Amino acid sequence: METNDKIVATSARQITQNTQYWMLILFGIFLVLISFVFNTPLEIINGQAVILTTASNLTTDYFELANVGATFFNSGILTLHALLLIKITKAKINGSLIAAVFTVAAFSFFGKNLYNSMPIVVGAFTYAWVTKVPAERSLLAALFGTALGPLVNEITFNIGLRLGIGILLGSAAGFVAGFILPPLAHHFVGFTKGFSLYNIGFSSGVVGTIFTSILRATGVVIEPISLISKGNNMQMSLLFFPLFTVMLLYGLYLNSWSLNGYSRMMKHSGQLSSDFVKKNGFNLTLINMSLLGFVALGFVLSLGGELNGPVIGGVLTVVGFGAFGKHLKNVIPILLGVTLIGYLNNYDMSDTSVIIAGLFGTTIAPIAGRYGLVMGMIAGGLHLTVVSNTSYLHGGINLYNNGFAGGFVAALMIPLLEAVHYHREQRREIREPVDPAESISTEED
């Protein structure tokens, strides 16, 4: 096996850190440029003004709030901003950063913007400065922590404060949230044991719940909303299917036009931290990301879903985490579980809330990766039921609601699964005692 792996590594084309970085830059530029296909510059500017100055609690589809062009422009700008932060901190491109960049791009379709992200980013890096650790250590918290962006918009524009006071208090709340997220995220990994990939999503859910509780105690009404667009399936399909095809072809080119090594990648459970770029190379990672893109799009369209802002965000997040824990073998059981339970409980399977529960529910893909198809399907079904009830806790100001719910699912299932696994191993050892002669021989060796 080692010999074969070396042959694959030798035959595959390797690309540098700088090339990987510029590929992500091109992705951001692509998002910006494509915006002008859908709308005029004036429409995009006006749409950006609406996006920046409107409350953006779950689920605020920027396609519907503003327009398609302004949404893509918003996503592209935030993607390039994330890459600028990576450059400033001199971080190396790896699986977690690719996942973070794609997640920023994804949620910029329905909740994140430059205004509500900046206070959180500043807060996270201030934590690094205060604790005298390298800024790179807070980079993931800064990027993923923008999940709480709606908190900034909510306080600034939606609770009746004068604009100046709203900007001050909204920015202060975002700063505090960003400041406390790095230590909380580090702590909560132990809560889920790495079986929920959106660890900062769970941390953000806790922080969001606290902030929402405080605001509600003062008489402020904060509720999740549902602003969803329709009718974009043809346009989005013609955009994203070719994009994932290009990714697949380039990945195959880098991998000498083969899938060599991909089966080895799918042996990883995906449990945090599974950096596929480091473990399997950028070539296979790119192939994996593209294949997950096709599966995610197929999941949406096969259920009759709409390719609106939140759903595209779900697709891009699945693709991004194809570099950091997700692959076909651990994602598909989650999607099957969500679909099965949805049909059994008479959910409207084309509803956006159900579709994104499936896509974002793949946060718990490592459960399927470690414990197999059946447990993965059970996890997916359980996630669908839990996520329907968690958004009220934080009022929709945590965009990673599925990460919040997935944390609870993992925290419930993993201790039980580990206990069953432990006792099975114990019984196996009792049934198959070690030969004393073999034990002595081993000790002598």
Side-chain angles (χ1 to χ4, degrees), residues 102-432:
F102 269 79
T103 301
V104 167
F107 282 86
S108 301
F109 281 80
F110 68 112
K112 294 184 181 182
N113 57 63
L114 199 57
Y115 169 67
N116 67 25
S117 296
M118 285 305 298
I120 297 168
V121 170
V122 172
F125 284 127
T126 301
Y127 173 82
W129 178 73
V130 169
T131 56
K132 301 187 186 304
V133 300
E136 182 184 352
R137 295 276 294 275
S138 284
L139 180 57
L140 287 177
L143 296 177
F144 283 119
T146 50
L148 288 169
L151 170 65
V152 179
N153 276 68
E154 181 72 18
I155 294 175
T156 303
F157 302 112
N158 210 40
I159 64 174
L161 298 175
R162 286 184 298 173
L163 183 60
I165 298 297
I167 291 173
L168 180 63
L169 292 181
S171 299
F175 177 86
V176 171
F179 187 87
I180 64 178
L181 271 175
L184 288 179
H186 177 74
H187 174 77
F188 283 131
V189 171
F191 183 71
T192 64
K193 294 192 174 183
F195 281 89
S196 177
L197 294 173
Y198 308 161
N199 178 53
I200 294 179
F202 182 79
S203 308
S204 298
V206 173
V207 174
T209 298
I210 293 171
F211 271 102
T212 298
S213 300
I214 293 172
L215 289 170
R216 284 173 175 163
T218 64
V220 175
V221 177
I222 300 180
E223 301 291 345
I225 63 177
S226 181
L227 185 65
I228 303 296
S229 65
K230 295 182 179 180
N232 297 300
N233 282 16
M234 181 61 71
Q235 293 173 315
M236 295 303 111
S237 295
L238 291 175
L239 178 64
F240 284 102
F241 274 116
L243 175 63
F244 298 146
T245 299
V246 170
M247 290 171 61
L248 176 61
L249 292 175
Y250 189 58
L252 288 170
Y253 164 76
L254 292 175
N255 206 49
S256 300
W257 299 106
S258 75
L259 290 173
N260 285 338
Y262 189 65
S263 60
R264 182 161 48 91
M265 174 184 283
M266 290 196 293
K267 291 180 181 178
H268 297 300
S269 68
Q271 184 180 0
L272 288 175
S273 292
S274 294
D275 185 340
F276 290 156
V277 175
K278 182 178 179 180
K279 292 176 181 289
N280 303 93
F282 185 80
N283 45 2
L284 285 170
T285 299
L286 197 59
I287 291 171
N288 185 51
M289 292 169 68
S290 65
L291 293 177
L292 286 174
F294 290 126
V295 168
L297 285 174
F299 172 75
V300 176
L301 296 176
S302 65
L303 293 178
E306 293 284 342
L307 288 172
N308 49 42
V311 169
I312 290 173
V315 170
L316 289 178
T317 302
V318 171
V319 171
F321 273 86
F324 195 60
K326 296 182 185 180
H327 50 66
L328 295 180
K329 190 175 180 180
N330 64 12
V331 161
I332 289 175
I334 305 298
L335 298 178
L336 290 175
V338 168
T339 304
L340 177 62
I341 294 301
Y343 277 120
L344 289 177
N345 288 284
N346 294 317
Y347 283 81
D348 177 1
M349 297 304 296
S350 65
D351 187 76
T352 292
S353 63
V354 177
I355 296 291
I356 62 176
L359 294 172
F360 289 118
T362 54
T363 178
I364 49 176
I367 296 178
R370 174 65 62 85
Y371 295 103
L373 173 65
V374 174
M375 287 300 108
M377 291 179 65
I378 291 173
L382 182 59
H383 178 81
L384 177 60
T385 60
V386 172
V387 76
S388 304
N389 298 285
T390 51
S391 59
Y392 174 79
L393 295 176
H394 50 75
I397 64 172
N398 170 33
L399 293 172
Y400 303 166
N401 183 48
N402 280 270
F404 188 39
F408 287 117
V409 172
L412 172 67
M413 290 189 65
I414 296 307
L416 297 174
L417 291 171
E418 287 184 343
V420 170
H421 180 74
Y422 172 78
H423 289 297
R424 282 180 176 175
E425 290 298 315
Q426 291 291 100
R427 288 197 297 271
R428 184 178 293 114
E429 289 179 6
I430 293 173
R431 288 196 301 267
E432 301 174 6

